[in-house]
Amino acid sequence: MTVISIAQLRAEAETMTASLGEGEPLDALGVALVTLAVTASVTALERAGIERAIARAFDAGATIAQVQEILALSSGLGVHTLMVTAAPVLDAAATRGLIDAAQPLDAERQSLWDQYVGNDPFWKGFTEELPGFLEAMLRLSPDIFVGFFDYCAIPWRSGTVRARIKELAALACDVTSSHRFRPGFRVHLKNAIALGIGRRAILQALDIAAAVPEHCGTD
């Protein structure tokens, strides 16, 4: 079993951001929204901490729409189950003769692929971290494929929170002590760098994530 520590992810982030400028730190609202994201994630989900994080976000000037957008983003951690299982399910089904994974996509699936993935550079970078995931999910279930994209698009479609904050919030959610999802960590770190976010804010988001205790249960 591979064990991935927060220290390892921190070291990787420091290496990947070594050539960046320090940049500006997160402001009070940014800190509050990233804190809310990690505190309310499915891998933390402690009620008292969530209530404090909500209050902190509103005190920092967040709107209701911004709070809900961050919570929708954080709730997307559930799709990591699909990311990790799609390829093994497809392989197992193909081994048992339940599906022919070597056949070209049928017309319906190819149309969905062109509509949702196409040549989008975001999904190209995504599949570099999780090879075969999107195609496996599409082959197994077009409905789940469409649902994945539609749900994940919600916090990006509303756009009340700046993209830089959402990338840092997603990055932080992927490095909490009870999660440490390296593929997502790398995707969002690369996106943050591409957005021009400086080293200081990126490492600040990692510090916020590191302060979240392990999930100890939800009443």
Side-chain angles (χ1 to χ4, degrees):
M1 179 179 68
T2 300
V3 177
I4 300 171
S5 69
I6 292 178
Q8 287 174 316
L9 296 177
R10 172 81 181 209
E12 187 170 351
E14 289 180 346
T15 297
M16 292 178 67
T17 61
S19 62
L20 299 183
E22 286 298 304
E24 294 297 319
L26 287 169
D27 60 16
L29 178 59
V31 170
L33 291 177
V34 173
T35 301
L36 176 61
V38 295
T39 305
S41 74
V42 69
T43 60
L45 215 59
E46 190 266 317
R47 291 184 186 276
I50 291 171
E51 291 174 3
R52 290 192 297 271
I54 291 170
R56 182 175 183 177
F58 283 133
D59 288 344
T63 65
I64 293 174
Q66 287 175 320
V67 167
Q68 288 299 98
E69 189 171 311
I70 283 292
L71 293 175
L73 178 78
S74 180
S75 72
L77 264 67
V79 301
H80 292 174
T81 297
L82 298 174
M83 294 178 188
V84 172
T85 61
V89 170
L90 183 64
D91 289 345
T95 298
R96 288 161 175 76
L98 303 175
I99 191 171
D100 186 348
Q103 286 292 317
L105 295 175
D106 60 27
E108 176 196 5
R109 287 173 171 80
Q110 186 61 57
S111 177
L112 290 173
W113 182 270
D114 294 341
Q115 177 183 349
Y116 287 96
V117 182
N119 296 316
D120 189 329
F122 174 82
W123 294 113
K124 181 178 183 298
F126 193 92
T127 53
E128 288 175 357
E129 297 299 332
L130 287 157
F133 151 62
L134 290 172
E135 183 178 339
M137 183 170 60
L138 176 57
R139 287 183 180 277
L140 291 166
S141 174
D143 286 343
I144 291 177
F145 180 84
V146 171
F148 167 83
F149 280 93
D150 287 349
Y151 191 81
C152 291
I154 291 172
W156 299 94
R157 188 169 59 239
S158 48
T160 62
V161 178
R162 291 181 298 165
R164 58 181 279 123
I165 300 301
K166 283 184 282 198
E167 286 295 351
L168 292 175
L171 170 66
C173 285
D174 284 345
V175 297
T176 55
S177 60
S178 297
H179 197 43
R180 305 192 302 282
F181 187 64
R182 189 171 181 267
F185 155 78
R186 288 180 58 84
V187 166
H188 294 298
L189 178 55
K190 290 175 182 177
N191 290 346
I193 292 171
L195 284 172
I197 301 174
R199 178 181 171 88
R200 185 178 305 173
I202 290 172
L203 296 181
Q204 193 174 0
L206 297 184
D207 289 339
I208 292 171
V212 176
E214 290 192 11
H215 192 10
C216 58
T218 304
D219 291 332

